[in-house]
Amino acid sequence: MNLFDYIRPTSVSDAIAAWQPGAAYLGGGTNLVDLMKTGALRPGTVIDITRLPGVDRIETLPNGSTRIGTLVRNSDLAHDPDFAMAFPMVAEALASGASGQLRNAATLGGNLLQRTRCAYFQDPHSACNRRFPGAGCDARNGDSDNHAILGWSDACTATNPSDLCVPLMALDAVVETQGPQGKRDIALADFHHLPGAAPHQETALEPGELILAIRLPANATASRHNSRYLKVRERTSFAFALVSAAAALQLENGRISAACLALGGVAAKPWRVPAAEKLMLGQIPGADLFRRAAEVALEGAVPSGDNGFKIDLARRTAARALALAAAGTPAQMPALPASVFGESAHV
Amino acid sequence: MSETLRFGSSSGQPTTRRDGIAKVTGAATFAADNHPDGLLYAVYVPATIARGTVTHLDVTAAKAHPGVVEVLTPDNCPPLPGGPDTKPFRFSFSFEALQDNTVRYANQPIALVLGETFEAATEGAKLLNPQYNALQPRLGLDGTTPFPTNGDGFGKPGTTVHGDPDAGHAAALQAVDVTYETPAQYHNAMETHAIVADWDGDHVTLDLPNQAIVMSCAAYAHHLGIPAENVTIRSPYLGGGFGSKVIINGPQMLAIMAARMTGRPVKLMLRRDQMFGPTGHRGATRQRLRIGIGADHRMTVLDHDSRATTSSFETFVESAANASQGLYASGALRSTHQGVRIDSGTPGPMRAPGEATGSAALECAMDEMAFEAGIDPLEFRLKNYAEREPGTDKPYSSKALRQCYAQGAERFGWAGRPLAPRQMKDADGLLVGWGMGTALFAAPMFAAQARAVLRPDGTGLVETAASDMGQGAWTALAQIAADSLGLPLDRIEFRSGSSDLPDAGVAGGSAHTASAGGALHAAGTDAIRHLADIATKDPASPLFGTGNAGVIARAGRLHASDDDSRSESFADIIARAGGAEVEGKGNVSRSPEAAEAHAMYSHGAVFAEVKVDPDLFQMRVTRLVGAFAAGRIINPRLAESQLMGGMIWGTSFALHEEAKFDARSGRIMNADFAGYHIPVNADVQGLEVITVHEDDPYVNALGIKGVGEIGITGTVGAIGNAIWHATGTRVRRFPIRIQDLLAGS
């Protein structure tokens, strides 16, 4: 890899002050270091933020919201009993991602900022508008089985690979940041950008802006008894989702009083579908309702390549996730999280 | 002398790996763990086009990078005395060693950068920024006009016909005519190809994972223009070989050339993505199978045609259609092969070469035929059970396949399987399917040599240049050697894995234990024969005069075979004879007569249960039971592990592995373990191996067949058939994907 400066600041302000164009913040390194090895990313400065104080905690704020520091490791968050009880589908999504070793290293903030797994992005020898604005997109007419079916553009058909972001999106998470201009909140819904004509502008972060924490609102725990994350993948573990869905319901007197549905693996951002949620309000949960909601959720979906099957698969996945959520959150984390295969085999 | 050893006190025991602790503690020294003084790190630059020429490399920029020492390109690379297209041995294939600027496949080496550190060399490689004159690559099974192969060498399967296939087709009352495709697959041993090359004058020492240590010395020597004895290969441990480490590849040769050029030792270890190109692979196949049956459900014809991809410049074609030879009785039998030249690296032998792809298609086609006929797939196979090798009519040296079928079916619970698909569900509503396949693998034996020494202290030394690829040669071969000397395992020193030892042949073809083990057995037997000769002729020995009845070696003593009380320790015999070591030599190979008289195969039967989600079509193999008959099992623990590994590989073939080529660049876009999937632990559930007892008096002196590759055969088809049985969707391509089942739903 290229020669780079390595800085390990001990305060957030020092970290931000150290940032300059071409610099990269380093958390768990599970994505950045890989991309540096292949040469897809070549930062001139690596700012190791793992020693920053006060951003590695899970805390409940006075207003009842939950705040998770950017350096909280995926494993620690997934296995925090209080957190997993309050936000079971977030824990399930975390536990379904990557491998045990990677979850032990990966950080929350890094998860939000992980780059697409589009092979043409990861490969420095392919044309990619994300890496080099205006270079073109080799994924078009390329190996495109796992590319976007929603929100893509001619400039980019990549998907966001995060599991975690899907339930966070469904639960109205807020991203707390600090940058050269000070602190601010960004709704997760506004955090990742669809590609449009400028796919290189992947997130709402300004240059040098650093994620400090994620906040989940107090009312996000209301669906904890009926929420699931479901991930469809080519092997049972250690694979990115072909499609995934986070579904959370609140049931009152046998009817749906609140519904949240977000899809993963379908677009450059986790795909929240308010129209599908609205359709379910006041309805009695059932397979037919969930099928209709899933139809609505995939409205506007178009293959971006040889991936038309993902539209049908996403519909089926959304309907199943809703059915699983309606059936109730499991009392324990499934042995194979986010999988259709039951616990029996791996307890 | 009627009997000179007692065989079996170590053999047959489930001894744990003797190198296990060294491996799990990191003490085992793999090739890239060697760091001779003055070491340079080499990184090869892979072509990012698949066809064309390199027009420019920015050598100045690379050399200007701190720590970069030298850059090898076709402009300064020394010529190879034995050119890269010459064939010093049977497993030789053309390779690339910067002898010109053509590019014949993606990931071909186009330069080599040497640095004081790996990082410097890596960055130097990047800075070369190659420019190309690129041509449109020819890819896939329709990439060029196919050509027939004529059976004139390794990787050149021909046409084999027994009986009259046309008459067999005409006589059929029912028939299937189906075409299956398998993708390009890459070996991907856990340890990528690595080498440390260190010259001393015109002698070179290579730390190198290698499956054919002594033979490779001669090949390297040929290419380098030095005598074979000037090459030493040290290969004590391999992190997997799978056939890829038999073949000499360009990057490794470049590292040797670079070490010679710079006068410093050079290390090269391939990155994972670089394993997808110059180091061999399994070519894609398209196989058409036509099976006809008569009223009695006996096959009138088995007609198997295979087309497989190979490179534009070299011929290695999967012998897939030959999987239909040797297994099922059929009125007529035909196997035909074609190659398709494409712009990929040259394929090569990959674990169960030909058999894996061929069995996958054959066993699925057999299942389709059985369903057409309306009979159980196992019953269909039994109706067509071959008592003698089909076509040749040779007797089998041994064949316990019937017992494999019976024991496997019993353990699996095959009885009562509904014939029709989509009949079974589990409590969670998942579709359940059962499928089976027959496993078959030839039981060859290669020439091998060994040396055994009885030392004055009564311990033994045994030597052979075997390769432990992870299969357990360090253990199983030592067990054979200990028995041959009549010594417990802890009283022999077993030297292996280095080319200065007797040639153990190729660790391939599932024949290493038979070959190297046979040589060790012969060497030990020879040493004991010499020792017995000394003892029985020595009036001072209690064994004096027992020559006619013979002696038995046991636990470090020779015993008169007709009077166990007459015995003497090895050490005492040697001491009285003057204290000189007693040496024995072994030199074995299969006699042409034995090979001519019998057909020799390992057999097996694999039963698979899959569960499939009825809406999402995720698939899981929930149970695999394999019953295998493979002659004498030296170490049941290791043999079962090998068979399990093969069955997991079969799962990988059926559901996961596929190299995805970009049609424009010819590059493989999933060249890492995130994209090129193999099963994870959670994909492997119930996995059970039964080894069926089999005595084989013909294959070799010890009755050993092989277990290294057969586990893949049968398994792929069994899983494919189980998925059909669960879903009713017959997918005729591997791997079977969610989208294939969605499309069929």
Side-chain angles (χ1 to χ4, degrees), chain A residues 1-2 42 120 123 138 140 233 235-236 316 320 345, chain B residues 123 126 613 615 618 620 662 664 667 669 678 683 685:
Chain A
M1 59 181 72
N2 57 308
R42 296 167 66 85
Y120 299 92
D123 165 36
D138 275 347
R140 298 308 306 277
R233 45 198 145 165
R235 62 183 170 193
T236 309
R316 292 162 179 260
R320 178 69 66 82
Chain B
E123 185 61 12
K126 203 152 290 165
D613 186 279
D615 297 315
Q618 277 190 283
R620 280 188 104 191
D662 183 281
R664 300 153 302 181
R667 299 178 56 213
M669 295 313 296
I678 55 175
D683 290 305
Q685 295 210 302

PDB file of all heavy atoms in Angstrom, chain A residues 1-2 42 120 123 138 140 233 235-236 316 320 345, chain B residues 123 126 613 615 618 620 662 664 667 669 678 683 685:
ATOM      1  N   MET A   1       0.827  -1.209   0.000  1.00  0.00           N
ATOM      2  CA  MET A   1       0.000   0.000   0.000  1.00  0.00           C
ATOM      3  C   MET A   1       0.859   1.255   0.000  1.00  0.00           C
ATOM      4  O   MET A   1       2.067   1.180   0.187  1.00  0.00           O
ATOM      5  CB  MET A   1      -0.965  -0.022   1.198  1.00  0.00           C
ATOM      6  CG  MET A   1      -0.323  -0.100   2.562  1.00  0.00           C
ATOM      7  SD  MET A   1      -1.520  -0.148   3.933  1.00  0.00           S
ATOM      8  CE  MET A   1      -2.213  -1.782   3.810  1.00  0.00           C
ATOM      9  N   ASN A   2       0.217   2.387  -0.209  1.00  0.00           N
ATOM     10  CA  ASN A   2       0.964   3.640  -0.295  1.00  0.00           C
ATOM     11  C   ASN A   2       1.493   4.046   1.087  1.00  0.00           C
ATOM     12  O   ASN A   2       0.981   3.605   2.123  1.00  0.00           O
ATOM     13  CB  ASN A   2       0.057   4.759  -0.835  1.00  0.00           C
ATOM     14  CG  ASN A   2      -1.174   4.950   0.023  1.00  0.00           C
ATOM     15  OD1 ASN A   2      -1.885   4.005   0.316  1.00  0.00           O
ATOM     16  ND2 ASN A   2      -1.411   6.177   0.441  1.00  0.00           N
ATOM     17  N   ARG A  42      -6.546   5.151  -1.005  1.00  0.00           N
ATOM     18  CA  ARG A  42      -5.146   5.457  -0.736  1.00  0.00           C
ATOM     19  C   ARG A  42      -5.052   6.754   0.075  1.00  0.00           C
ATOM     20  O   ARG A  42      -4.573   7.768  -0.421  1.00  0.00           O
ATOM     21  CB  ARG A  42      -4.381   5.602  -2.060  1.00  0.00           C
ATOM     22  CG  ARG A  42      -4.335   4.301  -2.860  1.00  0.00           C
ATOM     23  CD  ARG A  42      -3.862   4.510  -4.295  1.00  0.00           C
ATOM     24  NE  ARG A  42      -2.483   4.951  -4.415  1.00  0.00           N
ATOM     25  CZ  ARG A  42      -1.434   4.122  -4.421  1.00  0.00           C
ATOM     26  NH1 ARG A  42      -1.609   2.823  -4.285  1.00  0.00           N
ATOM     27  NH2 ARG A  42      -0.220   4.590  -4.564  1.00  0.00           N
ATOM     28  N   TYR A 120     -16.670  -3.689  -8.616  1.00  0.00           N
ATOM     29  CA  TYR A 120     -16.032  -2.698  -9.482  1.00  0.00           C
ATOM     30  C   TYR A 120     -15.601  -1.468  -8.687  1.00  0.00           C
ATOM     31  O   TYR A 120     -14.739  -0.719  -9.112  1.00  0.00           O
ATOM     32  CB  TYR A 120     -16.974  -2.325 -10.630  1.00  0.00           C
ATOM     33  CG  TYR A 120     -17.318  -3.523 -11.482  1.00  0.00           C
ATOM     34  CD1 TYR A 120     -18.445  -4.293 -11.208  1.00  0.00           C
ATOM     35  CD2 TYR A 120     -16.489  -3.908 -12.521  1.00  0.00           C
ATOM     36  CE1 TYR A 120     -18.755  -5.405 -11.973  1.00  0.00           C
ATOM     37  CE2 TYR A 120     -16.777  -5.022 -13.286  1.00  0.00           C
ATOM     38  CZ  TYR A 120     -17.905  -5.768 -13.006  1.00  0.00           C
ATOM     39  OH  TYR A 120     -18.199  -6.877 -13.758  1.00  0.00           O
ATOM     40  N   ASP A 123     -12.325  -2.810  -6.816  1.00  0.00           N
ATOM     41  CA  ASP A 123     -11.215  -3.121  -7.709  1.00  0.00           C
ATOM     42  C   ASP A 123     -10.665  -1.838  -8.325  1.00  0.00           C
ATOM     43  O   ASP A 123     -11.338  -1.188  -9.113  1.00  0.00           O
ATOM     44  CB  ASP A 123     -11.731  -4.051  -8.815  1.00  0.00           C
ATOM     45  CG  ASP A 123     -10.746  -4.108  -9.952  1.00  0.00           C
ATOM     46  OD1 ASP A 123      -9.535  -4.066  -9.678  1.00  0.00           O
ATOM     47  OD2 ASP A 123     -11.186  -4.186 -11.110  1.00  0.00           O
ATOM     48  N   ASP A 138     -18.298   0.400 -14.474  1.00  0.00           N
ATOM     49  CA  ASP A 138     -18.141  -0.912 -15.090  1.00  0.00           C
ATOM     50  C   ASP A 138     -19.154  -1.929 -14.567  1.00  0.00           C
ATOM     51  O   ASP A 138     -19.263  -3.023 -15.115  1.00  0.00           O
ATOM     52  CB  ASP A 138     -16.714  -1.445 -14.853  1.00  0.00           C
ATOM     53  CG  ASP A 138     -15.733  -0.925 -15.890  1.00  0.00           C
ATOM     54  OD1 ASP A 138     -16.194  -0.366 -16.908  1.00  0.00           O
ATOM     55  OD2 ASP A 138     -14.511  -1.071 -15.675  1.00  0.00           O
ATOM     56  N   ARG A 140     -22.306  -1.523 -14.693  1.00  0.00           N
ATOM     57  CA  ARG A 140     -23.336  -1.590 -15.735  1.00  0.00           C
ATOM     58  C   ARG A 140     -22.860  -2.579 -16.786  1.00  0.00           C
ATOM     59  O   ARG A 140     -21.733  -2.482 -17.273  1.00  0.00           O
ATOM     60  CB  ARG A 140     -23.579  -0.218 -16.392  1.00  0.00           C
ATOM     61  CG  ARG A 140     -24.074   0.861 -15.463  1.00  0.00           C
ATOM     62  CD  ARG A 140     -25.298   0.492 -14.647  1.00  0.00           C
ATOM     63  NE  ARG A 140     -26.466   0.014 -15.401  1.00  0.00           N
ATOM     64  CZ  ARG A 140     -27.365   0.811 -15.979  1.00  0.00           C
ATOM     65  NH1 ARG A 140     -27.240   2.105 -15.938  1.00  0.00           N
ATOM     66  NH2 ARG A 140     -28.398   0.285 -16.603  1.00  0.00           N
ATOM     67  N   ARG A 233     -29.324 -14.765   2.134  1.00  0.00           N
ATOM     68  CA  ARG A 233     -27.940 -14.764   1.644  1.00  0.00           C
ATOM     69  C   ARG A 233     -27.617 -16.114   1.030  1.00  0.00           C
ATOM     70  O   ARG A 233     -28.330 -17.080   1.219  1.00  0.00           O
ATOM     71  CB  ARG A 233     -26.981 -14.446   2.793  1.00  0.00           C
ATOM     72  CG  ARG A 233     -27.335 -15.220   4.051  1.00  0.00           C
ATOM     73  CD  ARG A 233     -26.712 -14.642   5.320  1.00  0.00           C
ATOM     74  NE  ARG A 233     -27.642 -14.814   6.435  1.00  0.00           N
ATOM     75  CZ  ARG A 233     -27.305 -14.689   7.713  1.00  0.00           C
ATOM     76  NH1 ARG A 233     -26.088 -14.367   8.052  1.00  0.00           N
ATOM     77  NH2 ARG A 233     -28.189 -14.874   8.658  1.00  0.00           N
ATOM     78  N   ARG A 235     -25.099 -18.121   1.579  1.00  0.00           N
ATOM     79  CA  ARG A 235     -24.728 -19.186   2.502  1.00  0.00           C
ATOM     80  C   ARG A 235     -25.239 -18.797   3.878  1.00  0.00           C
ATOM     81  O   ARG A 235     -25.719 -17.689   4.073  1.00  0.00           O
ATOM     82  CB  ARG A 235     -23.228 -19.477   2.475  1.00  0.00           C
ATOM     83  CG  ARG A 235     -22.355 -18.341   2.888  1.00  0.00           C
ATOM     84  CD  ARG A 235     -20.873 -18.702   2.769  1.00  0.00           C
ATOM     85  NE  ARG A 235     -20.060 -17.502   2.950  1.00  0.00           N
ATOM     86  CZ  ARG A 235     -18.769 -17.417   2.666  1.00  0.00           C
ATOM     87  NH1 ARG A 235     -18.116 -18.454   2.204  1.00  0.00           N
ATOM     88  NH2 ARG A 235     -18.112 -16.285   2.862  1.00  0.00           N
ATOM     89  N   THR A 236     -25.111 -19.693   4.827  1.00  0.00           N
ATOM     90  CA  THR A 236     -25.833 -19.512   6.074  1.00  0.00           C
ATOM     91  C   THR A 236     -25.255 -18.404   6.936  1.00  0.00           C
ATOM     92  O   THR A 236     -25.953 -17.838   7.774  1.00  0.00           O
ATOM     93  CB  THR A 236     -25.827 -20.848   6.842  1.00  0.00           C
ATOM     94  OG1 THR A 236     -26.269 -21.863   5.946  1.00  0.00           O
ATOM     95  CG2 THR A 236     -26.764 -20.815   8.019  1.00  0.00           C
ATOM     96  N   ARG A 316     -40.730 -11.054  -1.221  1.00  0.00           N
ATOM     97  CA  ARG A 316     -40.947 -12.233  -0.372  1.00  0.00           C
ATOM     98  C   ARG A 316     -40.279 -12.050   0.988  1.00  0.00           C
ATOM     99  O   ARG A 316     -40.811 -12.472   2.022  1.00  0.00           O
ATOM    100  CB  ARG A 316     -40.370 -13.475  -1.062  1.00  0.00           C
ATOM    101  CG  ARG A 316     -41.122 -13.877  -2.329  1.00  0.00           C
ATOM    102  CD  ARG A 316     -40.266 -14.806  -3.194  1.00  0.00           C
ATOM    103  NE  ARG A 316     -40.974 -15.229  -4.399  1.00  0.00           N
ATOM    104  CZ  ARG A 316     -41.572 -16.415  -4.528  1.00  0.00           C
ATOM    105  NH1 ARG A 316     -41.549 -17.291  -3.538  1.00  0.00           N
ATOM    106  NH2 ARG A 316     -42.193 -16.736  -5.638  1.00  0.00           N
ATOM    107  N   ARG A 320     -42.109 -11.917   4.624  1.00  0.00           N
ATOM    108  CA  ARG A 320     -41.734 -12.870   5.654  1.00  0.00           C
ATOM    109  C   ARG A 320     -41.287 -12.150   6.928  1.00  0.00           C
ATOM    110  O   ARG A 320     -41.624 -12.567   8.044  1.00  0.00           O
ATOM    111  CB  ARG A 320     -40.624 -13.785   5.145  1.00  0.00           C
ATOM    112  CG  ARG A 320     -40.129 -14.792   6.186  1.00  0.00           C
ATOM    113  CD  ARG A 320     -41.153 -15.862   6.517  1.00  0.00           C
ATOM    114  NE  ARG A 320     -41.387 -16.705   5.364  1.00  0.00           N
ATOM    115  CZ  ARG A 320     -40.588 -17.732   5.013  1.00  0.00           C
ATOM    116  NH1 ARG A 320     -39.554 -18.034   5.772  1.00  0.00           N
ATOM    117  NH2 ARG A 320     -40.851 -18.428   3.940  1.00  0.00           N
ATOM    118  N   ALA A 345     -30.692 -26.494  15.069  1.00  0.00           N
ATOM    119  CA  ALA A 345     -29.414 -27.051  14.651  1.00  0.00           C
ATOM    120  C   ALA A 345     -28.228 -26.503  15.421  1.00  0.00           C
ATOM    121  O   ALA A 345     -27.241 -27.183  15.603  1.00  0.00           O
ATOM    122  CB  ALA A 345     -29.214 -26.794  13.170  1.00  0.00           C
TER     123      ALA A 345
ATOM    124  N   GLU B 123       3.722  -1.528  -3.227  1.00  0.00           N
ATOM    125  CA  GLU B 123       3.487  -0.194  -3.766  1.00  0.00           C
ATOM    126  C   GLU B 123       4.228  -0.010  -5.096  1.00  0.00           C
ATOM    127  O   GLU B 123       3.700   0.597  -6.020  1.00  0.00           O
ATOM    128  CB  GLU B 123       3.923   0.871  -2.747  1.00  0.00           C
ATOM    129  CG  GLU B 123       3.623   2.298  -3.148  1.00  0.00           C
ATOM    130  CD  GLU B 123       2.131   2.581  -3.346  1.00  0.00           C
ATOM    131  OE1 GLU B 123       1.313   1.733  -2.950  1.00  0.00           O
ATOM    132  OE2 GLU B 123       1.805   3.640  -3.907  1.00  0.00           O
ATOM    133  N   LYS B 126       2.214  -1.357  -7.784  1.00  0.00           N
ATOM    134  CA  LYS B 126       1.102  -0.475  -8.144  1.00  0.00           C
ATOM    135  C   LYS B 126       1.584   0.659  -9.056  1.00  0.00           C
ATOM    136  O   LYS B 126       0.903   1.062  -9.986  1.00  0.00           O
ATOM    137  CB  LYS B 126       0.512   0.097  -6.856  1.00  0.00           C
ATOM    138  CG  LYS B 126      -0.892   0.557  -6.976  1.00  0.00           C
ATOM    139  CD  LYS B 126      -1.602   0.442  -5.630  1.00  0.00           C
ATOM    140  CE  LYS B 126      -1.817  -1.026  -5.291  1.00  0.00           C
ATOM    141  NZ  LYS B 126      -2.162  -1.232  -3.879  1.00  0.00           N
ATOM    142  N   ASP B 613     -36.319 -23.241   1.999  1.00  0.00           N
ATOM    143  CA  ASP B 613     -37.450 -22.385   2.368  1.00  0.00           C
ATOM    144  C   ASP B 613     -38.405 -22.287   1.173  1.00  0.00           C
ATOM    145  O   ASP B 613     -37.973 -21.993   0.056  1.00  0.00           O
ATOM    146  CB  ASP B 613     -36.948 -20.992   2.762  1.00  0.00           C
ATOM    147  CG  ASP B 613     -38.068 -20.131   3.296  1.00  0.00           C
ATOM    148  OD1 ASP B 613     -38.834 -19.561   2.467  1.00  0.00           O
ATOM    149  OD2 ASP B 613     -38.198 -20.043   4.520  1.00  0.00           O
ATOM    150  N   ASP B 615     -40.574 -20.151   0.203  1.00  0.00           N
ATOM    151  CA  ASP B 615     -40.790 -18.838  -0.423  1.00  0.00           C
ATOM    152  C   ASP B 615     -39.477 -18.148  -0.776  1.00  0.00           C
ATOM    153  O   ASP B 615     -39.360 -17.510  -1.810  1.00  0.00           O
ATOM    154  CB  ASP B 615     -41.566 -17.916   0.531  1.00  0.00           C
ATOM    155  CG  ASP B 615     -42.944 -18.455   0.823  1.00  0.00           C
ATOM    156  OD1 ASP B 615     -43.610 -18.886  -0.132  1.00  0.00           O
ATOM    157  OD2 ASP B 615     -43.323 -18.471   2.006  1.00  0.00           O
ATOM    158  N   GLN B 618     -33.919 -20.202   0.216  1.00  0.00           N
ATOM    159  CA  GLN B 618     -32.608 -20.480   0.805  1.00  0.00           C
ATOM    160  C   GLN B 618     -32.500 -21.978   1.013  1.00  0.00           C
ATOM    161  O   GLN B 618     -33.490 -22.643   1.338  1.00  0.00           O
ATOM    162  CB  GLN B 618     -32.444 -19.739   2.128  1.00  0.00           C
ATOM    163  CG  GLN B 618     -31.993 -18.296   1.932  1.00  0.00           C
ATOM    164  CD  GLN B 618     -31.605 -17.645   3.245  1.00  0.00           C
ATOM    165  OE1 GLN B 618     -32.466 -17.268   4.015  1.00  0.00           O
ATOM    166  NE2 GLN B 618     -30.323 -17.513   3.472  1.00  0.00           N
ATOM    167  N   ARG B 620     -30.267 -25.387   2.580  1.00  0.00           N
ATOM    168  CA  ARG B 620     -29.249 -25.888   3.509  1.00  0.00           C
ATOM    169  C   ARG B 620     -29.167 -27.391   3.397  1.00  0.00           C
ATOM    170  O   ARG B 620     -30.191 -28.061   3.282  1.00  0.00           O
ATOM    171  CB  ARG B 620     -29.617 -25.573   4.956  1.00  0.00           C
ATOM    172  CG  ARG B 620     -29.303 -24.182   5.346  1.00  0.00           C
ATOM    173  CD  ARG B 620     -29.517 -24.046   6.830  1.00  0.00           C
ATOM    174  NE  ARG B 620     -28.257 -24.019   7.529  1.00  0.00           N
ATOM    175  CZ  ARG B 620     -28.169 -24.118   8.845  1.00  0.00           C
ATOM    176  NH1 ARG B 620     -29.231 -24.310   9.570  1.00  0.00           N
ATOM    177  NH2 ARG B 620     -27.005 -24.030   9.417  1.00  0.00           N
ATOM    178  N   ASP B 662     -15.814 -11.147 -15.791  1.00  0.00           N
ATOM    179  CA  ASP B 662     -16.353  -9.969 -16.468  1.00  0.00           C
ATOM    180  C   ASP B 662     -16.154 -10.173 -17.967  1.00  0.00           C
ATOM    181  O   ASP B 662     -15.030 -10.395 -18.428  1.00  0.00           O
ATOM    182  CB  ASP B 662     -15.641  -8.704 -15.995  1.00  0.00           C
ATOM    183  CG  ASP B 662     -16.247  -7.471 -16.632  1.00  0.00           C
ATOM    184  OD1 ASP B 662     -15.932  -7.179 -17.806  1.00  0.00           O
ATOM    185  OD2 ASP B 662     -17.037  -6.797 -15.954  1.00  0.00           O
ATOM    186  N   ARG B 664     -16.152  -8.264 -20.415  1.00  0.00           N
ATOM    187  CA  ARG B 664     -15.402  -7.265 -21.184  1.00  0.00           C
ATOM    188  C   ARG B 664     -13.914  -7.350 -20.912  1.00  0.00           C
ATOM    189  O   ARG B 664     -13.084  -7.294 -21.803  1.00  0.00           O
ATOM    190  CB  ARG B 664     -15.926  -5.869 -20.859  1.00  0.00           C
ATOM    191  CG  ARG B 664     -17.400  -5.715 -21.193  1.00  0.00           C
ATOM    192  CD  ARG B 664     -18.056  -4.668 -20.332  1.00  0.00           C
ATOM    193  NE  ARG B 664     -17.910  -4.982 -18.912  1.00  0.00           N
ATOM    194  CZ  ARG B 664     -18.408  -4.258 -17.926  1.00  0.00           C
ATOM    195  NH1 ARG B 664     -19.083  -3.176 -18.199  1.00  0.00           N
ATOM    196  NH2 ARG B 664     -18.243  -4.623 -16.673  1.00  0.00           N
ATOM    197  N   ARG B 667     -11.631 -10.526 -16.539  1.00  0.00           N
ATOM    198  CA  ARG B 667     -11.153 -10.665 -15.165  1.00  0.00           C
ATOM    199  C   ARG B 667     -12.219 -11.335 -14.298  1.00  0.00           C
ATOM    200  O   ARG B 667     -13.409 -11.233 -14.574  1.00  0.00           O
ATOM    201  CB  ARG B 667     -10.790  -9.295 -14.594  1.00  0.00           C
ATOM    202  CG  ARG B 667      -9.683  -8.637 -15.408  1.00  0.00           C
ATOM    203  CD  ARG B 667      -9.362  -7.282 -14.870  1.00  0.00           C
ATOM    204  NE  ARG B 667      -9.004  -7.399 -13.466  1.00  0.00           N
ATOM    205  CZ  ARG B 667      -9.264  -6.479 -12.557  1.00  0.00           C
ATOM    206  NH1 ARG B 667      -9.883  -5.378 -12.904  1.00  0.00           N
ATOM    207  NH2 ARG B 667      -8.891  -6.658 -11.328  1.00  0.00           N
ATOM    208  N   MET B 669     -14.290 -11.301 -11.151  1.00  0.00           N
ATOM    209  CA  MET B 669     -14.699 -10.185 -10.304  1.00  0.00           C
ATOM    210  C   MET B 669     -14.991 -10.600  -8.867  1.00  0.00           C
ATOM    211  O   MET B 669     -15.271  -9.759  -8.024  1.00  0.00           O
ATOM    212  CB  MET B 669     -15.909  -9.478 -10.908  1.00  0.00           C
ATOM    213  CG  MET B 669     -15.625  -8.805 -12.247  1.00  0.00           C
ATOM    214  SD  MET B 669     -14.109  -7.808 -12.299  1.00  0.00           S
ATOM    215  CE  MET B 669     -14.503  -6.532 -11.095  1.00  0.00           C
ATOM    216  N   ILE B 678     -17.245 -20.424  -0.278  1.00  0.00           N
ATOM    217  CA  ILE B 678     -17.127 -21.822   0.105  1.00  0.00           C
ATOM    218  C   ILE B 678     -17.955 -21.969   1.379  1.00  0.00           C
ATOM    219  O   ILE B 678     -18.297 -20.961   2.001  1.00  0.00           O
ATOM    220  CB  ILE B 678     -15.654 -22.223   0.335  1.00  0.00           C
ATOM    221  CG1 ILE B 678     -14.999 -21.300   1.367  1.00  0.00           C
ATOM    222  CG2 ILE B 678     -14.874 -22.166  -0.974  1.00  0.00           C
ATOM    223  CD1 ILE B 678     -13.592 -21.693   1.739  1.00  0.00           C
ATOM    224  N   ASP B 683     -22.887 -23.927   7.405  1.00  0.00           N
ATOM    225  CA  ASP B 683     -23.456 -24.606   6.236  1.00  0.00           C
ATOM    226  C   ASP B 683     -23.298 -26.110   6.319  1.00  0.00           C
ATOM    227  O   ASP B 683     -23.827 -26.836   5.488  1.00  0.00           O
ATOM    228  CB  ASP B 683     -22.771 -24.108   4.952  1.00  0.00           C
ATOM    229  CG  ASP B 683     -23.138 -22.675   4.631  1.00  0.00           C
ATOM    230  OD1 ASP B 683     -24.338 -22.397   4.543  1.00  0.00           O
ATOM    231  OD2 ASP B 683     -22.227 -21.846   4.486  1.00  0.00           O
ATOM    232  N   GLN B 685     -23.932 -29.287   8.499  1.00  0.00           N
ATOM    233  CA  GLN B 685     -24.640 -29.766   9.678  1.00  0.00           C
ATOM    234  C   GLN B 685     -24.335 -31.239   9.889  1.00  0.00           C
ATOM    235  O   GLN B 685     -23.201 -31.597  10.115  1.00  0.00           O
ATOM    236  CB  GLN B 685     -26.120 -29.495   9.502  1.00  0.00           C
ATOM    237  CG  GLN B 685     -26.408 -28.006   9.444  1.00  0.00           C
ATOM    238  CD  GLN B 685     -27.764 -27.705   9.983  1.00  0.00           C
ATOM    239  OE1 GLN B 685     -28.760 -28.206   9.507  1.00  0.00           O
ATOM    240  NE2 GLN B 685     -27.809 -26.892  10.997  1.00  0.00           N
TER     241      GLN B 685
END
